[in-house]
Amino acid sequence: MHAFDYIIIGAGSAGCVLANRLSEDPHVRVLLLEAGPRDWHPFIHMPAGLAKLVGKKGVNWDYDTAPEPHLDNRTLWWPRGKVLGGSSSINAMCYIRGHARDYDDWAAQGATGWSWDAVLPYFRRNEGNTRGADALHGGDGPLSVSDLRYVNPLSEAFIEAGVQAGYARNDDFNGPRQEGVGLYQVTQKDGARCSASVAYLNPARSRPNLVVRTDAMVSRITFDKGRADGVTCVVRGQAFHYEATREVLLSGGAINSPQLLMLSGVGPADALRRLKIDVVHDAPNVGANLQDHLDICSLQHSTQPITYDRVGDLKIAFDYYLRGHSGPGSSNIAEGGGFVRSALAPDDRPDIQFHFVPAMLDDHGRHRLRGDGYTLHACFLRPRSRGRIALASNRAGDKPRIEANYLSDAEGFDLRMMVECAKVSRTLFAQKAFDPYRGAPIFPARNDLSDAELADFIRAKAETVYHPVGTCRMGSDAASVVDNDLRVRGVEGLRVIDASVMPTLIGGNTNAPTMMIAERASDLIRGR
């Protein structure tokens, strides 16, 4: 009962895909281990419920960074999903793949087999777009991608403001052209969230060869003569060792995957020895190469009471379930957005992304402001700064040390780009489309800040937009943590399959690319 062909650690965006695809073969036994609970909470499945999930620590790893030297030594909150579906169960559901050249860059950097032409079939296999299939989109994949059922008038005003500012309207950010402004397509099915758990795990749960354990905290990957042979974990207070006869597949994400590798003896040898961890393989770059999209929010008061600030949570939920998954409860809140090229862009790809929210979001929504307002998130898509994940102790229950190291690039380019993000946001808010709604500015408090003052504002207010990647980098060089088949270098029987293997950030949200990685990995594992 404790031996399986494959053990998957983490039932997030990648782990759910792997559990489904590998258990398609009835001759293999698959164990899926998730540290969090089942995705039972109704606010997970009601799209607008994401605003209420912010404070729910039971479905969130609730991480914080170390003090960030270039952000006024602030510690930044990093929410990550700790529940079936992982972060796909708590995110804003924006379906974005990034720019095609991002993947060609991966291949050019040594990630052979991960070019745009190589990954596109897996995006299409993953996607079930309600608009139908074409050369770029899948129409019958497990992940339902749809248009929003409800759109706030302010989101339409944002799109019109973008057009007035000179940007093209774009109805498909995953189509032939990424650049422009428009409404996001979302990972929803019939007005409800379509997480990785809903899309991949639910259809496979009845298979007798798939075992799913929730509330299962893995403490170590175990090795026998350099080969991963299983895991030790605690399931609801009881300790187990599960044996993997073929492979252990680590899908914990950009924070948990490097942490568990290091706890298991795969990582920087000197650092492991200082924590009295037996070294299985000296891998100096485990935890290094951390990248994330830093986000600056501009907030403005609304003169009309139409925002999501004043609608009661119970009323939204009641109307949503009473009216068949429609109305404001079906909104992903971040309804509108866009991709634009700044004056500093080094090539023809958009280098700034927007998420427009018809509500006031300060400190991830944890700080509630009075009245009505709207928020524009803006992030620089290809930051040059690099951070790392390090162990704080040798205990699996302790949180790792997150050093995002934002705005640390030697040239100061990341900060200049963040200033550019704030300036473009200010330009958009100044367009005529916002005239019927525009009240006083909130953050920043004035519309005439100099570049130096905007830089101070960014250091004081910028936050993560939830896209950490890169800490188990894949590549062809010996310094990469995993090879291009995602096998951990220096050991056998172990792969990492999640956003941590990305060599560099893609130009957009990272959830869809993470599922694509797992789709391709399932073929690599099965030799297809």
Side-chain angles (χ1 to χ4, degrees):
M1 293 296 294
H2 292 152
F4 296 85
D5 294 281
Y6 299 104
I7 296 177
I8 304 165
I9 305 170
S13 298
C16 289
V17 175
L18 293 171
N20 180 300
R21 295 305 189 193
L22 295 179
S23 65
E24 287 174 339
D25 181 352
H27 299 104
V28 302
R29 297 194 73 219
V30 179
L31 173 65
L32 177 63
L33 298 171
E34 168 55 42
R38 293 181 64 118
D39 52 339
W40 61 268
H41 201 288
F43 280 137
I44 289 176
H45 302 285
M46 182 182 79
L50 68 92
K52 292 296 292 180
L53 295 174
V54 168
K56 289 205 166 294
K57 295 186 178 180
V59 298
N60 191 336
W61 285 97
D62 195 36
Y63 289 123
D64 292 284
T65 70
E68 287 293 317
H70 303 281
L71 294 176
D72 292 348
N73 284 315
R74 291 183 294 128
T75 59
L76 274 59
W77 187 52
W78 276 25
R80 309 303 301 160
K82 186 182 181 183
V83 61
L84 289 182
S87 293
S88 75
S89 288
I90 66 170
N91 69 4
M93 293 156 278
C94 299
Y95 181 76
I96 293 293
R97 299 171 174 178
H99 197 282
R101 280 184 53 187
D102 297 333
Y103 302 95
D104 291 337
D105 282 353
W106 286 6
Q109 295 164 25
T112 307
W114 295 90
S115 67
W116 174 246
D117 287 344
V119 303
L120 177 58
Y122 293 99
F123 276 119
R124 294 185 73 247
R125 186 167 85 177
N126 164 246
E127 182 185 7
N129 200 304
T130 57
R131 296 180 185 177
D134 59 27
L136 293 174
H137 292 286
D140 56 2
L143 183 69
S144 178
V145 177
S146 63
D147 297 320
L148 287 160
R149 288 189 166 192
Y150 181 88
V151 177
N152 189 284
L154 280 163
S155 296
E156 296 288 3
F158 163 76
I159 297 168
E160 182 59 28
V163 173
Q164 291 170 353
Y167 304 118
R169 175 152 189 155
N170 189 345
D171 294 325
D172 184 4
F173 297 129
N174 302 296
R177 176 177 54 88
Q178 186 188 48
E179 194 167 357
V181 293
L183 296 173
Y184 284 109
Q185 279 204 299
V186 289
T187 50
Q188 293 183 14
K189 184 173 185 178
D190 299 327
R193 179 190 293 273
C194 186
S195 67
S197 175
V198 170
Y200 283 90
L201 196 54
N202 287 358
R205 289 297 290 267
S206 62
R207 295 173 185 165
N209 61 330
L210 173 62
V211 176
V212 180
R213 295 278 183 265
T214 53
D215 300 300
M217 183 70 177
V218 176
S219 57
R220 295 289 189 279
I221 299 165
T222 58
F223 293 88
D224 180 25
K225 298 177 181 177
R227 182 176 184 85
D229 66 351
V231 302
T232 58
C233 70
V234 175
V235 183
R236 297 183 179 89
Q238 188 172 357
F240 291 93
H241 179 266
Y242 293 109
E243 179 186 351
T245 58
R246 295 193 187 184
E247 291 188 70
V248 175
L249 310 173
L250 177 52
S251 297
I255 302 170
N256 297 69
S257 285
Q259 179 193 23
L260 188 57
L261 282 180
M262 289 185 281
L263 287 171
S264 305
V266 179
D270 291 343
L272 300 186
R273 292 189 184 105
R274 282 195 294 270
L275 293 173
K276 297 181 170 51
I277 297 172
D278 292 335
V279 177
V280 174
H281 175 62
D282 181 13
N285 290 309
V286 170
N289 193 47
L290 174 62
Q291 301 156 59
D292 184 35
H293 285 142
L294 186 65
D295 191 54
I296 188 63
C297 286
S298 300
L299 277 68
Q300 190 98 16
H301 278 297
S302 172
T303 57
Q304 295 194 32
I306 59 172
T307 71
Y308 294 138
D309 294 299
R310 67 171 55 230
V311 182
D313 300 316
L314 290 178
K315 183 180 185 305
I316 284 183
F318 182 78
D319 289 347
Y320 173 76
Y321 286 108
L322 184 68
R323 299 179 183 178
H325 296 177
S326 63
S330 66
S331 170
N332 73 325
I333 309 298
E335 299 167 346
F339 296 85
V340 303
R341 288 182 67 239
S342 75
L344 303 178
D347 54 42
D348 60 358
R349 284 176 289 184
D351 56 348
I352 295 175
Q353 181 181 7
F354 298 113
H355 295 84
F356 178 79
V357 177
M360 294 180 290
L361 282 187
D362 185 33
D363 188 22
H364 309 273
R366 297 188 297 175
H367 180 212
R368 298 299 295 268
L369 303 174
R370 284 188 170 187
D372 293 274
Y374 44 92
T375 302
L376 185 56
H377 295 251
C379 73
F380 170 40
L381 289 172
R382 294 176 187 85
R384 301 177 182 181
S385 301
R386 298 291 184 267
R388 68 166 187 156
I389 303 293
L391 292 181
S393 76
N394 60 9
R395 294 181 296 273
D398 292 346
K399 295 179 180 180
R401 181 177 174 85
I402 302 171
E403 298 173 0
N405 217 16
Y406 296 113
L407 307 182
S408 63
D409 62 305
E411 303 84 9
F413 186 75
D414 288 0
L415 178 58
R416 292 200 300 275
M417 276 302 309
M418 291 305 296
V419 169
E420 203 59 24
C421 288
K423 290 166 72 174
V424 176
S425 298
R426 182 168 63 189
T427 298
L428 287 167
F429 275 178
Q431 299 303 312
K432 289 183 178 180
F434 280 112
D435 285 354
Y437 313 102
R438 187 186 304 106
I442 305 171
F443 298 125
R446 299 190 347 252
N447 291 325
D448 60 349
L449 297 185
S450 66
D451 285 9
E453 289 172 320
L454 284 173
D456 290 340
F457 167 63
I458 287 158
R459 293 188 187 99
K461 295 296 291 183
E463 297 284 353
T464 177
V465 73
Y466 322 119
H467 298 157
V469 307
T471 49
C472 298
R473 177 180 68 86
M474 67 173 159
S476 305
D477 58 296
S480 59
V481 176
V482 300
D483 66 16
N484 291 324
D485 288 342
L486 309 185
R487 297 171 296 204
V488 177
R489 294 187 182 278
V491 297
E492 295 181 356
L494 176 61
R495 301 190 204 225
V496 178
I497 303 166
D498 55 36
S500 70
V501 305
M502 296 184 186
T504 52
L505 265 167
I506 56 96
N509 310 68
T510 52
N511 190 62
T514 299
M515 291 193 192
M516 174 278 293
I517 288 170
E519 281 279 16
R520 186 166 189 270
S522 69
D523 273 4
L524 294 172
I525 293 165
R526 298 172 70 178
R528 298 197 304 185

